Each structure stands twice: as C-alpha cells, then as structure tokens.
Amino acid sequence: MCHVGASRVMELFTTTRELVHWRRHCRSPVHFVPTMGALHGAHQRLILRAARPSGDVVASVVVSVFVNPLQFGPGEDFQRYPRELHADAAMADQSGATVLFAPGVEEMFPGGTGQDVFSLRVPDSLSTVLCGRSRPGHFDGVATIVARLLSLVRPDRLFLGEKDWQQLVILRSMVEAMGMPLAVEGCATVRDSDGLAASTRNRYLNPSERERARALPQALAAARSVHANGRFTPDDLVRTTWDVLTAAGLGVDYVELVDPCRLRPQTAPQGPAMLAAAVQCGPARLIDHTFLMTRAPIVAIDGPAGAGKSTVTRALAARLGLIHLDTGAMYRALTWWVQQQGADPADPAAVEPLLKGLDLNLSAADGQDLQIHVNGHNVTAAIRSPEVTAQVSLVAAHPCVREVLTRQQQDMGVRGGLVAEGRDIGTAVYPDADLKVFLTATVAERACRRAKDLEQRGFAVPPLTELEAQIAERDRQDSSRAMAPLQMASDAVEVVTDGMDIGAVIQALVDLFRQRVPEDAWPGPSGS
C-alpha cells in the first residue's frame, strides 16, 4: 500500500481477485487510466484529470500498469520496454490514484498468449490505416487487453491521451459497439519542453537523435501554419511534411491527412482534419499529429420549445470557450417588437416592414448572462413573458422573418466559435456544424419545467394540463409549418433529458463534442 496524508490510501493490487473484491465494495464513481507503465508527465496529467472533483463528487481512480504482449509485433521492443513499478507507484500515488493495478502476464493470460487466446478483432477500416498498416494485429491486442481491464474495473469514465489518437478512436468505437456503460474522455497531448509529444519511447533517444526527432512536431506545426494561411492543397501538405522529415534524417513510415473521426483519407477537408505522421528515429518509432481547421467549431442545438436549450447552450458555451448564440431569443425579441408596434403577428404583410432597419443585438460580457436589445431597448426579461411565448411561433413562421434572421445568424457563423440553439439551427442555419444535437424531453417534463420557470419569473402559473396542451400545440405548429419546420437533422444526436440534471446534460454534450473536436484542436478555456 502507498499512503498519502491521512485521508487517502493508494492500494497496490497484482491479482484480479484483489481488484474485483475492491470494485465490489466501491461506492463512489470510478475513473480508469490504463497504461503500460514507465509513467511520465502525460500519464500524470491523465491521472490528475481523472482525480479532479466534479462538484461535490470525488471519483476513485484506478490506474493499471501492464506491458501487453499482444500489442507488440515480431522484432518490436516488448522485452526491453521499461518496467519501473516502484517509480510508477510513486507517481500514481502523488497524482491522486486510489488503486494501482499491476498484474503479471500470467495473471492476465492464465492460459498463455498463444494462438488460442480469446481476442477481439478491430474492423479493418480502423485497424489497417495509419499505424495499423505497418503494425498488423497491434490494435487487436490493444482492444483485447483494454476490454479485459474494463470488465474488471467497470469504470464510469475511461481516460485516454489524444497523442495516441488512432487508439482513442478505436477504443471509443469498441465501447460503443459493445454497449459498455461508460464514457471515454480524451485528454490533450502533453509535450516536452522541446516540443516532442511525451512518450515512454522518447527515452530510447540519445541527444543527437532527440535533436533530429524535433523535426516531427516542427514539420507538423509548419503545415498547420501553411493551412491557416490558405496556401495549400492536401497533397501539398503531405508531400512537404514528408520532405521535411526525410531531410532531417528521419525514416518516414507515413504522412497522411485523414478525417479524425473515421480515419479515412481527406482530399478536400471541410471540417477538422488530422495530419498525422510516424517516423523512425534511431531505435524509437515516434508518432505525432496536428489538427487542421478552416474555422472555429460550431455546435448546433435543435429541439422543441421548453427542452432547456437556452440554459444548456449558455452553460455549454462557457464550458467549451465558445460564444453562446441564442437564436430563439432573436425570434422572441422580434415578436416583442411586433407586439409593441401593434402589428398582427400572424400577418406577414404587417410584420415585414418592421424588419427594415431592425437593430437586434445580442451581447454578453465575460461571465455575464446574454443581453438582448431591440432598437435600443433591453428586452432580456420581457421576451420571456407568456404573451411573447404564445405568439413567437406565428412570427417565426413568416418566410421574410426567417430569411432576415437566418442570414444574420449565418453571418455570425462565418468564423465559427459558436454554440447556437434554435429549432432549425442544424438543418437550415448551420448544416455544416461540427456537432448537431436534438435536445428534447417529454411534454410532461417540459410542462413541469415551464411551470417552475414562470413561478421564478413572477408570472401566473396555469394548471399543468393546460401547459401540456400549450406545449403539444406549439410542437404541432413548429413541426408542420411550411418554412423550416421543427425536425431533427439526419446527422444529429438525440439527447432526451428527462431525469437528467443540468450538469449531466452538459457533460453528455461535452463528451459528444470531444468525439468530433479534440482538445488538441480546440482546448477550451481549461482543457475541458
């Protein structure tokens, strides 16, 4: 056992029996960091992240140390891979681990690791590209051991480094395909002071080899700069990067531009693309990558009225370091203006003249709630009144309104960097959003939320049955209107929020976002 202060004792287990017994009696959430040992700064960052409290909840952190023979090919460095259990235990302990699981090969493979061992097969589309092309069977071995470890640890969250991006994509796919009840969290690549991605195999390099190896991150950074300036074709990026690495005396295994989610080649990238490379430098095989983006990320959150889109969007934007764009507030603000002018909200001929010269402004100072102004009037509170709510669908249905406000929203999205919500934001306004979510809840749940909101704002609260009828009717109007009807985009993810508190909803959306936009590409305000 390893001791840290009086409040925590890190336990060291070497048998599955010990680990299973501990897990059976653990009552806190469990976070898991699998490693092959020889822990360094990147592993430490993973453990610290896993141990970070979430509100009042503190998870138990399990770190595994196991040099897995199944993922080493013939002639690779299985025998000489560093094994430093004492130092690993000290670092895991200092970083906040609850348990260090360090089994031997015989413990994990009692029947040996021969041809008859039960193993997983990773789909060729993921395992035979990038590193898998020159390391056949490697990712099958990774998936097999991680699946075994997950069955023992039974974590709520699995923490993996983005440096091994292909491995992260494969393990996410495995977790989803096997229906494992856990979330996978990727953490940004940690780099040493000279720019090299932190790796156990860096220690194989002598000083002159290490100097040559610096060409790998430098070449990728140069490619990213060229991409940012718009002077490139995908073939140019790959060829130039390859030439720089070769000129530095590195043996190039591959340089490829791929879709980071599916690992397929990208010839004309529209969203985030990953430029990845693997090289041989002396005795060490090194991998690295950079993400290329044509704009900052956009998250589009659709869904019916009363699903909590505004609350969720505001909190998610703050969590990811993006701008909150409340498009629903824009339609509410215009509805308020129509009412103030005494115009008929159902008559497009009466509404259209009010769009000319309309000064509709959304702003938010750091850490402050969104403020909405119409022609100099602060209408932030007024647009949430029952009167506005009752007529906003009528105003929003007019083609002239949709055209003006959609164009304004699209102009806001040219540079990206938005979390935008609305009832057609993913289908009509930002069809190329990096993440589309259809956020919804049952009518009964939305009625309860609406009643609570009215009460908090000081408005009269109708009976729940009346609120349910109003919400159901508004859903019908929104989904049947001729212009931009309420519907879920074909590539959106549906999130039903019944029974979820705001924290759980936000975390679910962050997890979805990070599957598409890595921390290496968009770190967020605190490496979210």
Side-chain angles (χ1 to χ4, degrees):
M1 292 186 181
C2 303
H3 300 265
V4 177
S7 60
R8 185 176 64 83
V9 176
M10 189 185 86
E11 301 188 78
L12 172 62
F13 300 146
T14 59
T15 68
T16 58
R17 180 183 57 81
E18 293 172 301
L19 179 61
V20 169
H21 177 78
W22 172 87
R23 184 62 182 91
R24 186 178 297 123
H25 295 88
C26 181
R27 296 293 175 262
S28 64
V30 174
H31 293 171
F32 180 41
V33 181
T35 81
M36 290 207 302
L39 303 185
H40 48 70
H43 296 116
Q44 185 177 41
R45 187 81 61 84
L46 283 170
I47 299 169
L48 289 168
R49 173 80 74 88
R52 186 172 63 189
S54 177
D56 296 331
V57 178
V58 179
S60 295
V61 179
V62 177
V63 178
S64 67
V65 169
F66 181 68
V67 183
N68 173 31
L70 296 186
Q71 66 189 74
F72 289 81
E76 292 189 346
D77 55 342
F78 174 68
Q79 295 299 333
R80 67 178 173 132
Y81 198 88
R83 292 160 172 83
E84 305 168 345
L85 184 56
H86 181 76
D88 291 343
M91 179 174 284
D93 186 1
Q94 294 164 7
S95 304
T98 310
V99 167
L100 183 67
F101 179 50
V105 173
E106 297 79 11
E107 183 69 19
M108 294 304 292
F109 300 103
T113 59
Q115 294 291 326
D116 59 343
V117 66
F118 180 83
S119 62
L120 295 181
R121 173 70 187 274
V122 177
D124 287 349
S125 60
L126 298 177
S127 67
T128 61
V129 298
L130 300 178
C131 287
R133 189 178 296 112
S134 58
R135 303 188 73 188
H138 168 73
F139 290 112
D140 292 345
V142 171
T144 297
I145 194 60
V146 173
R148 292 189 182 198
L149 290 168
L150 291 175
S151 71
L152 295 169
V153 178
R154 292 186 287 119
D156 298 282
R157 296 186 76 80
L158 171 64
F159 290 77
L160 300 167
E162 290 184 354
K163 179 248 181 185
D164 297 296
W165 181 257
Q166 184 174 9
Q167 174 177 282
L168 175 54
V169 169
I170 287 170
L171 293 178
R172 272 185 173 140
S173 178
M174 180 192 76
V175 165
E176 181 178 359
M178 298 180 71
M180 295 180 177
L182 62 99
V184 180
E185 182 165 337
C187 303
T189 300
V190 174
R191 297 187 179 276
D192 295 337
S193 58
D194 59 2
L196 275 188
S199 169
T200 298
R201 291 185 170 96
N202 287 352
R203 67 177 64 189
Y204 295 164
L205 303 171
N206 64 34
S208 64
E209 289 165 345
R210 175 124 196 166
E211 182 64 25
R212 290 207 313 274
R214 293 177 57 199
L216 176 55
Q218 290 171 353
L220 293 170
R224 187 171 62 249
S225 296
V226 170
H227 173 269
N229 292 328
R231 305 188 307 271
F232 80 103
T233 68
D235 287 344
D236 290 339
L237 287 178
V238 169
R239 183 169 50 253
T240 301
T241 303
W242 189 294
D243 291 345
V244 170
L245 297 175
T246 301
L250 301 176
V252 180
D253 182 357
Y254 65 79
V255 177
E256 294 188 45
L257 187 70
V258 299
D259 169 0
C261 294
R262 298 179 297 171
L263 305 183
R264 297 177 181 174
Q266 280 200 340
T267 55
Q270 299 299 314
M274 183 177 75
L275 183 65
V279 300
Q280 191 74 30
C281 183
R285 184 180 187 275
L286 305 175
I287 62 172
D288 204 347
H289 62 258
T290 189
F291 290 99
L292 311 177
M293 303 176 70
T294 55
R295 55 158 172 74
I298 293 177
V299 179
I301 300 182
D302 288 352
K309 297 188 299 297
S310 295
T311 302
V312 166
T313 304
R314 183 168 55 249
L316 182 64
R319 177 81 174 268
L320 297 176
L322 300 169
I323 297 169
H324 169 217
L325 177 58
D326 185 351
T327 63
M330 298 173 72
Y331 287 98
R332 284 177 170 272
L334 178 56
T335 301
W336 177 88
W337 182 245
V338 168
Q339 292 174 339
Q340 294 299 305
Q341 302 309 301
D344 181 1
D347 183 4
V351 172
E352 186 168 12
L354 301 179
L355 297 172
K356 297 176 181 178
L358 178 70
D359 180 14
L360 198 163
N361 180 263
L362 283 71
S363 62
D366 290 343
Q368 303 297 315
D369 289 339
L370 188 72
Q371 299 294 303
I372 302 96
H373 292 78
V374 175
N375 295 342
H377 300 277
N378 188 325
V379 298
T380 306
I383 64 173
R384 303 296 173 183
S385 71
E387 292 77 18
V388 170
T389 298
Q391 294 187 329
V392 65
S393 290
L394 297 175
V395 173
H398 301 318
C400 59
V401 170
R402 310 298 297 188
E403 180 182 353
V404 168
L405 294 191
T406 295
R407 185 167 58 247
Q408 183 173 345
Q409 293 154 17
Q410 289 173 335
D411 288 344
M412 295 176 183
V414 170
R415 293 185 178 180
L418 304 173
V419 180
E421 62 90 358
R423 287 188 298 281
D424 64 347
I425 200 74
T427 53
V429 183
Y430 301 126
D432 62 342
D434 300 280
L435 170 64
K436 300 178 188 178
V437 175
F438 193 80
L439 194 74
T440 188
T442 61
V443 169
E445 176 77 11
R446 285 184 280 150
C448 289
R449 294 176 186 175
R450 179 62 176 159
K452 185 180 296 185
D453 180 64
L454 289 171
E455 184 178 14
Q456 290 174 345
R457 295 177 183 276
F459 295 115
V461 181
L464 281 177
T465 53
E466 183 176 332
L467 286 175
E468 289 179 8
Q470 291 175 0
I471 289 171
E473 174 58 20
R474 185 168 178 184
D475 286 353
R476 188 196 66 77
Q477 292 178 359
D478 288 345
S479 60
S480 61
R481 66 190 177 207
M483 184 73 172
L486 170 64
Q487 59 184 352
M488 185 169 73
S490 60
D491 54 348
V493 180
E494 184 178 40
V495 177
V496 181
T497 62
D498 286 37
M500 298 174 69
D501 62 29
I502 184 67
V505 175
I506 296 302
Q507 187 59 61
L509 297 187
V510 169
D511 289 341
L512 289 170
F513 177 81
R514 287 303 178 199
Q515 291 178 26
R516 295 155 176 81
V517 182
E519 286 187 4
D520 280 343
W522 184 263
S526 59
S528 60

